């Protein structure tokens, strides 16, 4: 799905917002979980510290003793990461520590922050490299002048492992949630934009001649668009019909005076009458020429016209074979089934008929007519078809092919015709955004290729 499409933009923007929100939520939850674990860990250490302070005694020599001991067995395992110690602040002998500490003692950094009760919560590292969370508090026992530092430390790596486990589970859960949100957005977007895809398909049907209006009901947001498009299509049809009517009216309005002039001149003798007849015929030819051009232009700009190609080609091939029966011209046809021209049948007949008539004039005996979808990518959202006419005649030099497509150009006066056939084909094809080009045929003669928009 392209980011430039409406669906792509909606899904991409939703995915970006979801990722950002889930990332922020994940960091917030991880931070809250870590803070809650640390508070709980500190409370556990504080409970052990309070138990030590409650059971600690100092004998007459000032040496601390803990008659009850600590019930937690982790304090008895060497270098377990769980330690407690009671150390005189002024130095000297008489310290007391858990069996897990062995000979090491833990020192609180100078300047550690303390709470209102004088307790400091700090991070330490033992000789085994284990990270510790420790709570230390100074305490003076009744009946003793010595001040002792009482410290309890726990294995903070265990807490870190819990945090990592929770974070991994949280990331996986949020990633799954994010994927679900993106999938839900994709479903919503595809469902929400389905009316637009339906409208696009129905517009394609109109453009290809399978329908004449947008039918069906649409959501309230795009129903006005459908109605306006129907009005636009109807307006286009009316414009084309008015153009055809005006062209017909103009033809009748001009032909009548020309006929009068021709008849009056025919009844007279002399050079003036001859000149009038001559110029009247020129005017008649020009009127017919430009009226035909206007009709072709009006048909080409219409919406919805579509013509089956094969019946037209078959009818033209049969007709031209009968016309050229004395030359024994054989016309072979190869047309892809289902091929349709996006335009009027009359224009297709005129274009192919001119090309086929030209090929029969020059062919020695064989003409081929083929039609197939045009190769290559579609242009501007349209597909094209290609109609090729080949003959086994003398062909045409490459430097003369461009001249042959110009209006009124005749490269050989020995053949009948006005020289307008190929130029009319070029002009009519251009009105449909098509094209004509000439090449060398496989039969040895001329190959004319007509490219036209396809309605298939």
């Amino acid at each position: 799905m392209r980011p430039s499409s409406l669906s792509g933009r909606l899904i991409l923007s939703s995915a970006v917002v979801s990722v950002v929100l889930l990332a922020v939520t994940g960091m917030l939850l991880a931070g809250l979980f870590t803070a809650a674990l640390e508070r709980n860990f500190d409370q556990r250490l504080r409970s052990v510290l309070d138990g030590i302070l409650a059971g600690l005694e100092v004998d007459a020599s000032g040496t601390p003793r803990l008659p009850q001991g600590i019930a937690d067995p982790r304090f008895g395992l060497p270098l377990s990461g769980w330690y407690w110690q009671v150390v005189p602040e002024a130095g000297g002998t008489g310290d007391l520590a858990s069996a897990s500490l062995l000979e090491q003692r833990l020192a609180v950094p100078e300047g550690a922050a303390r709470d209102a009760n004088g307790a400091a919560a700090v991070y330490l590292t033992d000789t085994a490299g284990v990270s510790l969370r420790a709570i230390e508090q100074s305490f003076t026992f009744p009946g003793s002048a010595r001040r002792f530092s009482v410290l309890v430390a726990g294995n903070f790596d265990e807490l870190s492992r819990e945090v990592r486990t929770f974070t991994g589970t949280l990331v996986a859960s949020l990633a799954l949630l994010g994927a679900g949100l993106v999938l839900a957005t994709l479903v919503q977007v595809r469902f929400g934009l389905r009316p637009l895809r339906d409208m696009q398909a129905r517009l394609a049907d109109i453009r290809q001649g399978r329908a004449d209006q947008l039918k069906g009901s649409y959501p309230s947001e795009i129903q006005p668009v459908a109605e306006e498009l129907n009005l636009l299509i109807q307006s286009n049809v009316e414009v084309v019909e008015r153009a055809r009517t005006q062209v017909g009216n103009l033809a009748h309005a001009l032909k009548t005076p020309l006929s009068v002039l021709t008849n009056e001149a025919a009844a007279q003798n002399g050079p003036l009458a001859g000149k009038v007849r001559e110029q009247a015929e020129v005017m008649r030819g020009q009127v017919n020429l430009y009226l035909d051009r206007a009709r072709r232009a009006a048909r080409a700009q219409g919406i919805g016209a579509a013509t089956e190609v094969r019946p037209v080609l078959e009818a033209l091939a049969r007709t031209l074979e009968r016309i050229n029966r004395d030359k024994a011209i054989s016309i072979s046809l190869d047309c892809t089934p289902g091929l349709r021209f996006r335009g009027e049948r009359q224009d297709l007949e005129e274009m192919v008929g001119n090309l086929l008539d030209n090929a029969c004039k020059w062919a020695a005996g064989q003409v081929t007519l083929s039609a197939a979808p045009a190769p290559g990518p579609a242009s501007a959202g349209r597909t094209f078809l290609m109609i090729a006419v080949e003959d086994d005649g003398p062909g045409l030099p490459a430097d003369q092919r461009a001249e042959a497509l110009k209006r009124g150009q005749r490269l050989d006066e020995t053949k009948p015709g006005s020289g307008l056939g190929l130029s009319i084909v070029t002009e009519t094809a251009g009105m449909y955004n098509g094209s004509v080009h000439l090449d060398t045929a496989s039969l040895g003669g001329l190959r004319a290729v007509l490219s036209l928009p396809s309605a298939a």
Side-chain angles (χ1 to χ4, degrees):
M1 188 170 294
R2 300 188 307 273
S4 58
S5 68
L6 186 59
S7 299
R9 290 179 180 223
L10 291 173
I11 294 173
L12 182 62
S13 60
S14 175
V16 170
V17 172
S18 298
V19 168
V20 171
L21 291 179
L22 290 176
V24 172
T25 302
M27 289 187 290
L28 180 62
L29 290 177
L32 292 175
F33 179 76
T34 302
L37 280 183
E38 288 183 353
R39 285 195 301 271
N40 183 59
F41 199 77
D42 288 348
Q43 289 174 359
R44 290 161 59 190
L45 294 178
R46 184 72 200 189
S47 298
V48 175
L49 179 65
D50 291 342
I52 292 175
L53 292 176
L56 196 63
E57 298 177 356
V58 179
D59 58 15
S61 63
T63 301
R65 294 186 302 107
L66 191 63
Q68 299 295 331
I70 302 297
D72 193 332
R74 291 176 296 183
F75 290 102
L77 299 175
L79 301 177
S80 65
W82 290 86
Y83 312 116
W84 61 265
Q85 66 181 29
V86 179
V87 180
E89 288 190 349
T93 60
D95 60 349
L96 186 65
S98 63
S100 58
L101 264 176
L102 300 179
E103 300 300 324
Q104 67 172 324
R105 294 294 180 267
L106 303 174
V108 177
E110 293 290 337
R114 297 180 180 273
D115 59 16
N117 297 320
V122 295
Y123 292 97
L124 304 174
T125 304
D126 65 7
T127 55
V130 177
S131 296
L132 307 175
R133 175 72 171 173
I135 293 181
E136 184 269 344
Q137 185 172 4
S138 297
F139 190 79
T140 301
F141 293 94
S144 174
R146 302 181 72 183
R147 190 171 181 83
F148 292 89
S149 169
V150 183
L151 180 145
V152 177
N155 189 338
F156 194 73
D157 285 342
E158 295 178 1
L159 184 66
S160 299
R161 283 193 293 271
E162 292 184 23
V163 171
R164 286 194 298 271
T165 301
F166 173 80
T167 302
T169 304
L170 179 64
V171 169
S173 301
L174 292 180
L176 184 61
L177 176 61
L181 290 175
V182 172
L183 180 61
T185 303
L186 176 62
V187 173
Q188 290 176 352
V189 168
R190 292 189 65 85
F191 177 76
L193 296 182
R194 181 179 295 174
L196 290 178
R197 290 192 294 272
D198 292 342
M199 180 180 288
Q200 179 188 10
R202 290 171 183 172
L203 284 173
D205 289 340
I206 293 173
R207 181 170 61 86
Q208 296 171 0
R210 293 192 290 265
D212 55 5
Q213 271 195 331
L214 278 174
K215 297 180 181 179
S217 59
Y218 295 93
S220 58
E221 292 82 1
I222 63 174
Q223 182 63 38
V225 178
E227 294 172 356
E228 290 296 328
L229 285 173
N230 280 331
L231 292 175
L232 179 62
I233 293 168
Q234 182 62 33
S235 175
N236 179 273
V237 172
E238 292 173 357
V239 167
V240 172
E241 289 300 324
R242 283 197 300 268
R244 289 176 176 174
T245 301
Q246 294 300 325
V247 167
N249 292 341
L250 180 59
H252 287 293
L254 291 176
K255 286 180 178 180
T256 300
L258 286 173
S259 297
V260 172
L261 287 174
T262 302
N263 293 335
E264 290 295 327
Q268 304 293 328
N269 295 319
L272 178 59
K275 180 59 70 174
V276 170
R277 288 195 300 271
E278 176 188 336
Q279 294 303 313
E281 289 300 324
V282 172
M283 292 172 63
R284 190 191 304 275
Q286 292 295 317
V287 167
N288 290 332
L289 171 65
Y290 285 100
L291 288 180
D292 286 343
R293 176 183 292 180
R295 281 192 291 267
R296 289 196 303 272
R299 291 196 300 267
Q301 298 304 318
I303 295 177
T307 304
E308 289 287 341
V309 174
R310 188 177 187 88
V312 173
L313 301 188
E314 288 177 343
L316 289 172
R318 287 194 302 268
T319 301
L320 268 296
E321 278 188 339
R322 285 197 296 267
I323 292 174
N324 296 276
R325 187 180 299 125
D326 57 331
K327 294 179 59 177
I329 298 295
S330 172
I331 302 176
S332 61
L333 174 63
D334 180 17
C335 179
T336 301
L339 205 58
R340 302 170 76 231
F341 163 57
R342 194 179 63 80
E344 296 281 349
R345 179 187 181 98
Q346 181 179 343
D347 290 334
L348 182 61
E349 289 175 342
E350 185 174 26
M351 289 184 285
V352 180
N354 275 292
L355 293 178
L356 203 55
D357 180 60
N358 184 74
C360 289
K361 288 177 181 178
W362 294 97
Q366 187 176 0
V367 174
T368 63
L369 177 60
S370 61
S379 174
R382 296 180 177 178
T383 57
F384 282 75
L385 59 90
M386 183 180 67
I387 300 175
V389 179
E390 303 184 34
D391 62 71
D392 60 351
L396 191 65
D399 57 349
Q400 296 182 9
R401 291 170 187 165
E403 292 294 324
L405 296 175
K406 294 182 180 179
R407 174 166 295 277
Q409 293 294 322
R410 298 189 61 195
L411 302 180
D412 192 332
E413 301 292 335
T414 64
K415 298 293 181 181
S418 62
L420 297 176
L422 289 179
S423 64
I424 290 175
V425 176
T426 303
E427 185 176 282
T428 307
M431 292 176 182
Y432 285 98
N433 294 320
S435 62
V436 181
H437 75 271
L438 304 179
D439 203 348
T440 302
S442 59
L443 299 176
L446 185 65
R447 181 175 188 260
V449 179
L450 178 63
S451 178
L452 294 172
S454 170

